[in-house]
Amino acid sequence: MIEDRNAATAQGRPTLLDVDAVKMVYSSAHRTVEALGGVRFTVGDGEFVCIVGPSGAGKTTLLKCISGLLRPTGGTVRLEGTEVKAPPQAMALVFQDYARSLFPWMTVEANVELPLKQAGMARRQRRDLISSALADVGLTDVGSAYPWQLSGGMQQRVAIARAIAYRPRILVMDEPFAAVDAQTRADLEDLVRDLWHKLGVTVLFVTHDIDEAIYLGERVLALSASPTVVMDDIAIDLPDARDQIGTRSLSRFGELRKELYGQIQRARHTSG
Amino acid sequence: MRGAMFVQAYGDAARGLIGLAVFAAVLELLPRIGVVSHVYFPPISAIVVALVHEAGRAAFWVSLFLTLRSWAVGLAIAVIAGTGVGLFIGSFETLRRLTASTIELLRPIPSVALIPLVVLLYGSTIRSTLVLVVYASVWQVLIQVLYGVQDVDPVARQTAVSFRFGRWGQLRHVVWPTTLPYLMTGIRLAAAVALILTITSELIIGAPGLGKQIALAQSGGAVATMYAYVLVTGLIGVAVNLVARVLERRVMHWHPSVRPSMHRARTP
Ligand SMILES: Nc1ncnc2c1ncn2[C@@H]1O[C@H](COP(=O)(O)OP(=O)(O)OP(=O)(O)O)[C@@H](O)[C@H]1O
Ligand SMILES: [Mg+2]
């Protein structure tokens, strides 16, 4: 665990996000669920880190704790050295459920604009950010459409545009492509890699898909079953330029995949 | 597709008009062939003649104005109060729970049961009418607004919170747009109830307005005139409902129940 915490800094990148022994116990009248059992990892500035874990592992819970939407029952989260107690300015979230995360009563442009408006940004600057964000995700013509007039993949692009227009230092995504078809998903994966390169933003990407995690990340964290801890922290030593067919057919890709599958299988068995 | 809907809407309207014409013809015929009493059920033509006659009198227009004013003012108060209180109560979970039982207790009291009270307080005045109208219609709005606030999507709210929207920002951009369709339903229901209570109050308490004219015509034995006023109140009801529906569709253009169907549902 100690080595894991140093993995990011070892690459010469200063720590941006520090997740320190985060615990989350949901308790209601009838039952208590220990969703997170002391999750510990760091993310270096500019890194692309993927988190994989089976359904119900507490991935969403972890992201809520990291983003300040939920106060963990133990441990701390620090972003740029300060403890996260409420959603930080330097972070933007992309939710899995884009259709519910985008506001259907507003046009695409207004959706992208609203967080900037709420932050008190001047109109001119907002205009610039909106058009560059929409261009970055490949949606220049749909600004005046409503989200529900677009396909699922386009809607998720809008959500990504909204997040990058916000100019976060870290982009946090919770299974963003779980609800789109395979081809769209591949396109969106490449889009996120491109944005990461282009904008130099740090990305924390949660998925239940091991292949997706390996294809996208520089590092993959594997979560155990509940109560969840980080079970494995694997550096993805694949070439930086990735493409859907070439990268996925590399023998190294297969090895990494085998390693992660093995880890997750073992986690299943030990947790019973 | 749009064309088909258009034709269908036209067809519906045409069928509706034919139905109405047949109904009017029956109403005309029944008293004439003596199936019903000529005295209590004058033929529709007589009613129309009476209506035209009334329309020539200032009292008719004054009554119409007073009725519409009571209705509109009462409805406006109810909508504003119901919306404000609903948004406020709905924003605080504990407050909502605390007030739920009280609301359930007060809401079913028929407004007309308050007539003796308002007569004691304000007599046969427009004030009495307003109290009854507001009491009857405020619940329609309040209940709908409370439903609306409850219906805010947790993902939408989390999105707003994650982008650091303040309390006001959340209310303005998430809670309000979610509530608006419910509010429109509330307003439509409240508008109908408000009209009923306006006429009732004028009829029973004798506050000035169309309801009072109905009572006056009845006591004066002017049966056709009485029906003429009844007809006018009915027409107002139809108009109110129509306007409310148009308004509703306009405000809710983005809503799944109104927007043109797309190749993809709202939730994946
Ligand atoms: N608000 C809540 N109250 C009580 N228990 C909760 C709550 N939210 C999540 N849990 C529980 O915490 C555990 C982790 O849930 P979470 O949604 O974080 O998992 P996940 O890894 O995101 O799953 P998925 O892959 O299905 O999205 C589950 O057992 C879930 O039942
Ligand atoms: Mg989840």
Side-chain angles (χ1 to χ4, degrees):
Chain A
M1 290 268 175
I2 299 299
E3 302 89 313
D4 294 346
R5 286 171 62 69
N6 293 331
T9 31
Q11 291 178 17
R13 285 161 167 166
T15 300
L16 180 67
L17 177 72
D18 182 1
V19 178
D20 190 4
V22 166
K23 270 188 204 290
M24 183 68 213
V25 181
Y26 288 110
S27 44
S28 63
H30 336 283
R31 59 175 208 146
T32 55
V33 180
E34 191 177 359
L36 303 175
V39 174
R40 192 188 286 273
F41 66 92
T42 61
V43 176
D45 194 9
E47 255 193 314
F48 197 133
V49 175
C50 292
I51 297 181
V52 279
S55 188
K59 302 183 294 293
T60 299
T61 303
L62 176 60
L63 288 196
K64 281 187 185 164
C65 291
I66 289 174
S67 59
L69 288 174
L70 199 62
R71 281 309 294 272
T73 48
T76 51
V77 174
R78 272 183 293 272
L79 183 69
E80 303 174 295
T82 28
E83 189 177 343
V84 172
K85 289 181 174 162
Q89 177 107 58
M91 183 183 287
L93 259 63
V94 175
F95 294 81
Q96 173 181 340
D97 217 338
Y98 46 80
R100 292 166 60 195
S101 177
L102 295 173
F103 301 143
W105 45 83
M106 285 181 179
T107 62
V108 164
E109 236 169 45
N111 264 285
V112 177
E113 181 172 28
L114 190 56
L116 310 179
K117 225 176 183 170
Q118 289 292 303
M121 189 182 286
R123 194 184 145 77
R124 262 186 90 126
Q125 203 184 348
R126 295 201 305 258
R127 292 277 115 197
D128 292 346
L129 284 174
I130 296 166
S131 51
S132 74
L134 285 176
D136 281 343
V137 299
L139 292 177
T140 36
D141 304 329
V142 301
S144 56
Y146 285 86
W148 39 268
Q149 294 174 319
L150 308 177
S151 71
M154 287 163 96
Q155 290 182 44
Q156 195 54 291
R157 281 172 196 263
V158 175
I160 294 170
R162 176 174 65 185
I164 60 174
Y166 195 62
R167 292 283 137 124
R169 289 193 65 188
I170 181 164
L171 189 59
V172 175
M173 308 176 94
D174 185 6
E175 302 200 47
F177 311 143
V180 297
D181 62 89
Q183 182 54 49
T184 307
R185 182 177 185 151
D187 294 343
L188 288 170
E189 284 167 2
D190 291 332
L191 172 74
V192 169
R193 279 285 297 191
D194 289 347
L195 287 175
W196 172 64
H197 274 130
K198 188 176 164 193
L199 305 174
V201 66
T202 307
V203 181
L204 184 62
F205 188 104
V206 161
T207 172
H208 62 254
D209 183 338
I210 292 170
D211 286 35
E212 184 171 67
I214 298 171
Y215 179 72
L216 285 175
E218 291 182 291
R219 244 171 86 206
V220 175
L221 309 178
L223 298 182
S224 69
S226 147
T228 303
V229 293
V230 175
M231 196 172 55
D232 207 355
D233 185 344
I234 296 181
I236 304 298
D237 46 2
L238 295 169
D240 185 43
R242 299 191 186 169
D243 79 282
Q244 292 287 351
I245 297 171
T247 306
R248 285 177 195 267
S249 51
L250 290 173
S251 62
R252 183 65 189 141
F253 191 93
E255 286 164 30
L256 288 165
R257 185 172 183 229
K258 207 167 149 194
E259 192 179 335
L260 266 166
Y261 265 109
Q263 282 286 357
I264 285 170
Q265 283 307 326
R266 272 198 293 285
R268 285 245 175 86
H269 288 301
T270 48
S271 71
Chain B
M1 205 147 138
R2 257 185 184 251
M5 271 163 67
F6 191 69
V7 168
Q8 194 187 348
Y10 244 76
D12 283 352
R15 269 190 288 279
L17 282 179
I18 292 171
L20 267 181
V22 170
F23 184 57
V26 170
L27 286 184
E28 180 72 27
L29 264 159
L30 288 182
R32 286 200 185 277
I33 57 177
V35 177
V36 297
S37 159
H38 209 274
V39 179
Y40 301 118
F41 299 98
I44 193 97
S45 55
I47 295 173
V48 173
V49 169
L51 181 57
V52 171
H53 175 74
E54 284 302 302
R57 295 175 51 219
F60 171 86
W61 296 103
V62 171
S63 303
L64 180 63
F65 169 76
L66 290 176
T67 295
L68 287 179
R69 193 182 64 178
S70 299
W71 170 78
V73 172
L75 181 62
I77 295 173
V79 168
I80 291 167
T83 307
V85 173
L87 285 177
F88 183 74
I89 292 179
S91 299
F92 304 95
E93 183 60 22
T94 30
L95 194 57
R96 196 182 60 79
R97 287 186 192 193
L98 274 174
T99 51
S101 50
T102 313
I103 291 174
E104 285 312 307
L105 195 74
L106 290 178
R107 182 169 70 124
I109 298 177
S111 218
V112 282
L114 299 179
I115 286 178
L117 177 69
V118 295
V119 169
L120 272 180
L121 287 175
Y122 306 119
S124 304
T125 60
I126 287 182
R127 245 191 182 175
S128 291
T129 307
L130 282 181
V131 172
L132 293 176
V133 169
V134 170
Y135 187 87
S137 42
V138 77
W139 302 112
Q140 313 287 339
V141 179
L142 178 62
I143 300 285
Q144 289 297 323
V145 169
L146 285 175
Y147 282 146
V149 176
Q150 284 292 98
D151 193 42
V152 168
D153 191 311
V155 177
R157 189 187 286 279
Q158 278 164 22
T159 303
V161 174
S162 79
F163 285 113
R164 299 160 62 91
F165 288 28
R167 244 204 133 76
W168 171 248
Q170 288 175 47
L171 187 70
R172 167 77 186 79
H173 296 291
V174 182
V175 178
W176 175 249
T178 306
T179 308
L180 201 51
Y182 289 87
L183 175 61
M184 293 315 293
T185 305
I187 292 177
R188 182 162 48 77
L189 298 174
V193 168
L195 185 64
I196 294 173
L197 262 294
T198 307
I199 304 295
T200 307
S201 149
E202 292 165 356
L203 197 61
I204 296 182
I205 306 178
L210 291 174
K212 189 177 178 182
Q213 295 301 321
I214 295 178
L216 284 177
Q218 184 252 357
S219 58
V223 178
T225 308
M226 181 188 83
Y227 278 109
Y229 277 105
V230 172
L231 189 63
V232 172
T233 58
L235 291 176
I236 296 176
V238 172
V240 163
N241 198 26
L242 225 62
V243 169
R245 281 192 184 277
V246 168
L247 210 68
E248 205 171 352
R249 290 184 76 84
R250 228 172 228 225
V251 170
M252 291 169 60
H253 69 100
W254 58 270
H255 197 268
S257 69
V258 172
R259 68 199 188 196
S261 58
M262 285 287 148
H263 54 286
R264 177 173 259 282
R266 183 168 168 236
T267 38

